[in-house]
Amino acid sequence: MTKRKSLRNPQIQKLEPLLYGEDLSAPEWRNYIEVLATKLELNDYDWMNYKLFANVSTKEYGELKIEFAYFGAYFCEMKVENENVIYSFEFADQIFQEHIVRYIQKHMKSWGETYTFNGAEEVIDFYNDVLTSPYTVEKSRQVIRRRKH
């Protein structure tokens, strides 16, 4: 009975900062490069709309889909989705500006390198700064109800 009850109402964990290298996990050791994948979108067509997307495999939370968004305002948004929950945070634009500049600079430096840039450290630092900033506000935690086929 309690097992059935817990499946209907999954526990919503509070997100905690991640330790780069310790809290990350690849599905298989030979796929370690797939621990984190990033995508940067800069759209100035109508209004500033900058987004950084990342897929991160973690030991504690499973696969996380993280989205950092800047809309040209004094606040930004971070959405984090795992298998069960979507989290939404509002944070100061200075954090976004600092981390997006660092991300782009490191990406550009890697253009002449042997290995491709994956942005793992930058995204984990960005995520941790948002979670630990005194100006960050958690807007919502929403349980995802997925249909099983």
Side-chain angles (χ1 to χ4, degrees):
M1 187 76 137
T2 57
K3 190 172 190 178
R4 221 181 252 168
K5 196 177 212 179
S6 68
L7 289 176
R8 284 189 204 145
N9 298 315
Q11 182 114 20
I12 300 178
Q13 290 178 281
K14 180 181 179 208
L15 292 178
E16 298 290 339
L18 297 170
L19 296 175
Y20 179 76
E22 290 182 30
D23 292 332
L24 305 181
S25 68
E28 296 179 25
W29 67 269
R30 63 180 168 265
N31 293 333
Y32 190 74
I33 231 157
E34 295 175 11
V35 166
L36 190 133
T38 61
K39 175 184 164 186
L40 178 62
E41 182 180 284
L42 304 174
N43 182 351
D44 280 332
Y45 179 72
D46 189 19
W47 185 255
M48 282 187 227
N49 193 355
Y50 303 163
K51 293 183 179 181
L52 177 60
F53 303 91
N55 292 329
V56 183
S57 291
T58 68
K59 294 175 185 172
E60 180 70 22
Y61 307 109
E63 186 73 24
L64 293 179
K65 292 180 182 179
I66 304 171
E67 176 186 326
F68 304 97
Y70 174 73
F71 309 106
Y74 293 113
F75 67 91
C76 298
E77 188 175 72
M78 178 174 78
K79 290 183 182 175
V80 180
E81 179 180 336
N82 69 11
E83 186 177 300
N84 301 316
V85 183
I86 298 174
Y87 302 84
S88 179
F89 300 88
E90 197 172 275
F91 64 96
D93 65 338
Q94 292 90 352
I95 296 172
F96 189 93
Q97 292 169 7
E98 175 188 330
H99 285 280
I100 208 68
V101 167
R102 190 180 314 156
Y103 177 91
I104 292 170
Q105 287 175 336
K106 287 189 175 184
H107 193 284
M108 290 173 64
K109 283 181 185 177
S110 75
W111 287 355
E113 301 295 321
T114 307
Y115 298 102
T116 60
F117 174 80
N118 73 359
E121 286 185 71
E122 290 70 29
V123 167
I124 299 303
D125 287 347
F126 195 169
Y127 168 89
N128 289 342
D129 279 356
V130 170
L131 287 182
T132 59
S133 171
Y135 304 108
T136 296
V137 175
E138 184 173 345
K139 300 303 276 183
S140 67
R141 292 184 202 179
Q142 177 184 1
V143 175
I144 302 169
R145 303 276 185 218
R146 299 192 194 271
R147 291 185 178 179
K148 295 194 179 192
H149 301 283

